[in-house]
Amino acid sequence: MSASTSSGRRSAPQAAFDTWVDVWNGDYTGAHRVVSPDFRIHAALLDGSDDGAIRGADGLVEWIGQIRGAMPDLRFAAEVGPLVDGDFVAARWTATGTYAGGFPGAKAAPGTVVTWTGTDILRTEHGRIVEYWLNADSLPLLTQLEAL
């Protein structure tokens, strides 16, 4: 999922994106390396909570862990990108996972496979992610979970 520079080396934003995908796929080992302590997100969270409460690598990992609690085998794959423009990285992704239960309001049976898409825009500084804009198409997810 990474693009290369003309010399064949990945740029710092591209390398950060590769680790970003690994973190979302459950490998948290690189989170502190690529997520700035000043990290913040801009998103409409499904539970209605304040996106400003998610700060730094620890906040990100905790949030991802909560999502993965309902879908432990959750996998993200880039469909388009990463597209790099200076310190910005954008990618369209597809997420697929098996629902294990525990999503508030969901009536879907555990074992239901769900798939949805979204777009991430990341801003990096010195090779670390400092801001994250999330635009996820949550309607298919909520429909598949029978939460509407």
Side-chain angles (χ1 to χ4, degrees), residues 16-92:
F17 177 79
D18 290 345
T19 302
W20 175 258
V21 172
D22 292 342
V23 170
W24 274 97
N25 284 334
D27 178 2
Y28 305 137
T29 58
H32 285 89
R33 188 176 68 253
V34 300
V35 175
S36 168
D38 299 325
F39 171 83
R40 59 182 292 220
I41 71 166
H42 308 279
L45 303 180
L46 284 175
D47 65 1
S49 63
D50 178 19
D51 63 359
I54 301 169
R55 300 295 243 168
D58 291 334
L60 176 66
V61 167
E62 181 180 338
W63 180 48
I64 292 171
Q66 291 170 355
I67 295 167
R68 294 183 68 79
M71 292 166 268
D73 65 346
L74 187 59
R75 299 295 297 169
F76 288 83
E79 288 183 348
V80 177
L83 307 173
V84 178
D85 184 7
D87 288 335
F88 288 89
V89 181
R92 176 173 169 80

Side-chain angles (χ1 to χ4, degrees), residues 71 74 76 93-97 114-118 136-138 140-141 144:
M71 292 166 268
L74 187 59
F76 288 83
W93 48 260
T94 298
T96 303
V114 296
T115 300
W116 74 103
T117 60
D137 189 358
S138 301
L141 172 63
Q144 292 166 76

